[in-house]
Amino acid sequence: MADPKGFLKNGREVATRRPVEERVKDWHEVYPGKVGKTLLPIINTQASRCMDCGIPFCHQGCPLGNIIPEWNDLVWRNDWEGASERLHATNNFPEFTGRLCPAPCEAACVLGINQPAVTIKNIEVSIIDKAWDAGHVKPQPPEWLSGKAVAVIGSGPAGLAAAQQLTRAGHTVAVYERADKIGGLLRYGIPEFKMEKSQVDQRLAQMRREGTVFRAGVDVGTDITGAQLQDRYDAIVLANGSTVGRDLPVPGRELDGIHQAMEYLPQANRASLGEAVPDQILAEGKHVVIIGGGDTGADCLGTAIRQGAESITQLEIMPRPPEDRPEGQPWPTYPMTYRVASAHEEGGERVYSVSTKEFLGTGDGRVRALRLVEVEFVDGKLVEKEGTEKEIPADLVLLAMGFTGPEKDGLLTQLGVEYDARGNVARDDSFATSVPGVYVAGDAGRGQSLIVWAIAEGRAAAAAVDTYLTGSTNLPAPIRPTDRQLTA
């Protein structure tokens, strides 16, 4: 413990974002310059607040089991290379989690019992950004090759984590991605203002130097069949995600101008990087309504602001969460509290406890408005409040209500995998599907979840595959398929 009185002397500080009026005019990250350089003046002090607890519950809050007290101590002592080594011991991609994870580790921080928690997420991203700048992040190619080949389907965080672990274990790994570039939702689902794609590209360059092979633009199930994969590879890891968006089957759903968020965001990402996007869905000059109050909805909000929307309204069927941890969600559970993303600072209106009854259209078949009604909980069920219906203008509606599972047509049908009760790919305690040699990691098996869980699943599935191929493994398995976030 570097400073025994650090948590008594210093309060919580977080990084300052760029001014709203500046950042909404571009697509760069909302923090000025490189995040690590921006945070360094406060990060050493924040690291000193870590209490070196007898039982560090931050370990339990993080599914990766990040060794947070150790790298906090190293940061306080200015041993940044040592901190990077400790960080990478449990996390393949801290530059992703440090920017995108909602930090359940902070909710479990022991200091958070009666004080603001340590800014673990800010410290994490500072460590990795400084490590990249200093050249501490190097390829780790295997010392020997096993002679076994593995196909990883999907290049999101779960697929990339599994691929890197298996490559380092000596297997020949090919990652298949149907999009034209590797990265999955990291590339085309996360807006540039939350994480610039240079972060993805530099990590992919490291993985290529380690020996991982990437095959973009290949629609597995069409361009190559499941049977061909089974013939060519000794094992297959399904990391194709939960990509079927939840729909809203109300009158008027067929009107033009109503889109899934994942139709809208990938186009905006491509355009922000200078790519030509024919018939792009644009918010410019439109009244935009976003249905869904989560992170994807916030991503749509920030994107629509940068595109010049006339107005933006984000709808959520649930009540507005409280500012502070509710009594029924005690430490160290992950509380449902009111959160303000960078996009919410930039504009738009958030409306809670409302349900969409109908989309209203123009004579030529385009959406023009939504009919809403307020809802409330009665005997544990949401019911409409009489006399609260109203219309709001809507030229563009974005559905950001989450995802219902993986796409079943094509590869999954060809392989013949079984599904669980929720429609996800079923797996046993070792991430193995019902088909021998086929494993599943990430949202395709777990259901829609956080990036930190996807990386943990990729690492754990890699350990299971390594055991299947060689009879034993030295790879870590941070979680079991049945593990879930600690909630009340």
Side-chain angles (χ1 to χ4, degrees):
M1 188 174 185
D3 186 350
K5 297 182 180 180
F7 70 96
L8 298 173
K9 297 186 298 184
N10 303 305
R12 178 181 168 97
E13 290 182 89
V14 296
T16 302
R17 295 166 177 153
R18 291 192 289 145
V20 168
E21 61 273 14
E22 172 191 316
R23 70 189 195 229
V24 297
K25 296 177 182 177
D26 60 49
W27 293 93
H28 299 303
E29 286 188 18
V30 298
Y31 294 97
K34 284 223 174 182
V35 176
K37 292 180 180 177
T38 304
L39 298 182
L40 287 179
I42 66 169
I43 285 306
N44 296 80
T45 299
Q46 284 302 297
S48 78
R49 299 180 69 230
C50 184
M51 301 168 65
D52 193 21
C53 313
I55 300 177
F57 276 80
C58 54
H59 288 190
Q60 280 69 42
C62 175
L64 284 166
N66 282 339
I67 315 168
I68 295 163
E70 291 191 22
W71 41 259
N72 277 338
D73 179 74
L74 291 165
V75 165
W76 193 86
R77 299 177 187 277
N78 280 314
D79 183 355
W80 291 92
E81 186 172 5
S84 174
E85 185 278 326
R86 286 287 80 196
L87 181 54
H88 279 100
T90 55
N91 188 350
N92 296 71
F93 315 122
E95 64 272 31
F96 304 161
T97 53
R99 287 170 166 82
L100 305 176
C101 180
C105 54
E106 294 187 14
C109 173
V110 173
L111 186 57
I113 293 175
N114 57 10
Q115 291 189 43
V118 175
T119 54
I120 299 170
K121 180 177 174 178
N122 285 173
I123 299 169
E124 177 181 16
V125 79
S126 291
I127 294 170
I128 183 56
D129 280 358
K130 194 168 180 65
W132 281 113
D133 285 347
H136 294 155
V137 184
K138 297 179 174 64
Q140 299 178 38
E143 296 181 359
W144 56 275
L145 296 178
S146 68
K148 303 292 185 179
V150 182
V152 175
I153 314 304
S155 65
L160 293 180
Q164 186 167 62
Q165 294 294 95
L166 288 167
T167 297
R168 290 174 175 178
H171 307 301
T172 299
V173 180
V175 178
Y176 288 86
E177 169 59 55
R178 65 182 173 184
D180 59 337
K181 292 182 180 178
I182 298 295
L185 289 183
L186 291 169
R187 184 175 297 279
Y188 289 128
I190 302 299
E192 192 79 352
F193 57 81
K194 285 181 67 175
M195 185 180 72
E196 295 182 8
K197 301 311 170 283
S198 59
Q199 300 293 335
V200 179
D201 292 336
Q202 67 184 358
R203 187 59 76 171
L204 294 178
Q206 179 205 32
M207 292 180 66
R208 287 188 176 96
R209 292 194 295 271
E210 292 173 346
T212 303
V213 175
F214 295 105
R215 293 176 178 164
V218 179
D219 188 355
V220 178
T222 301
D223 300 328
I224 182 173
T225 67
Q228 289 172 323
L229 281 178
Q230 288 174 301
D231 288 341
R232 188 177 302 179
Y233 295 95
D234 299 292
I236 299 170
V237 178
L238 301 173
N240 45 328
S242 179
T243 56
V244 179
R246 182 171 283 106
D247 213 338
L248 188 59
V250 299
R253 173 62 181 88
E254 75 284 353
L255 293 167
D256 291 339
I258 304 172
H259 302 275
Q260 288 285 350
M262 284 304 143
E263 297 175 69
Y264 174 67
L265 290 174
Q267 290 187 355
N269 268 358
R270 290 177 181 276
S272 70
L273 294 170
E275 297 182 29
V277 181
D279 302 318
Q280 182 183 356
I281 303 165
L282 288 169
E284 183 179 3
K286 296 177 181 177
H287 297 288
V288 179
V289 175
I290 302 164
I291 302 179
D295 288 341
T296 303
D299 293 346
C300 291
L301 171 63
T303 300
I305 288 171
R306 285 160 177 76
Q307 289 180 347
E310 178 68 20
S311 71
I312 308 172
T313 306
Q314 186 177 7
L315 308 179
E316 170 57 56
I317 195 170
M318 299 298 288
R320 185 185 188 275
E323 298 277 351
D324 300 317
R325 182 188 287 275
E327 288 186 7
Q329 299 173 28
W331 175 90
T333 61
Y334 187 67
M336 298 300 296
T337 55
Y338 183 71
R339 293 180 172 87
V340 179
S342 63
H344 295 132
E345 298 173 341
E346 298 166 358
E349 180 184 5
R350 303 169 79 176
V351 181
Y352 292 89
S353 297
V354 292
S355 178
T356 302
K357 290 183 66 71
E358 183 181 7
F359 298 112
L360 306 174
T362 62
D364 59 355
R366 287 199 58 83
V367 67
R368 66 168 180 82
L370 269 74
R371 179 170 291 131
L372 303 177
V373 64
E374 294 181 18
V375 294
E376 61 181 346
F377 275 104
V378 177
D379 296 328
K381 296 182 179 179
L382 281 172
V383 298
E384 297 181 2
K385 296 172 67 174
E386 291 187 14
T388 62
E389 288 192 19
K390 65 177 181 179
E391 291 182 15
I392 60 172
D395 306 310
L396 173 62
V397 178
L398 301 172
L399 305 180
M401 302 177 295
F403 303 89
T404 61
E407 299 168 32
K408 297 180 174 60
D409 292 339
L411 176 63
L412 298 186
T413 298
Q414 292 168 8
L415 291 173
V417 297
E418 295 179 358
Y419 302 96
D420 63 20
R422 300 181 64 188
N424 302 313
V425 178
R427 68 264 185 95
D428 64 14
D429 290 342
S430 64
F431 295 86
T433 71
S434 57
V435 180
V438 179
Y439 292 74
V440 62
D443 290 2
R446 171 171 292 270
Q448 178 185 341
S449 189
L450 303 177
I451 182 173
V452 68
W453 281 94
I455 296 172
E457 288 233 347
R459 289 171 65 87
V465 172
D466 189 36
T467 301
Y468 169 76
L469 294 175
T470 67
S472 63
T473 187
N474 291 319
L475 295 177
I479 60 171
R480 298 165 298 181
T482 53
D483 287 343
R484 293 292 183 268
Q485 192 72 54
L486 181 61
T487 57

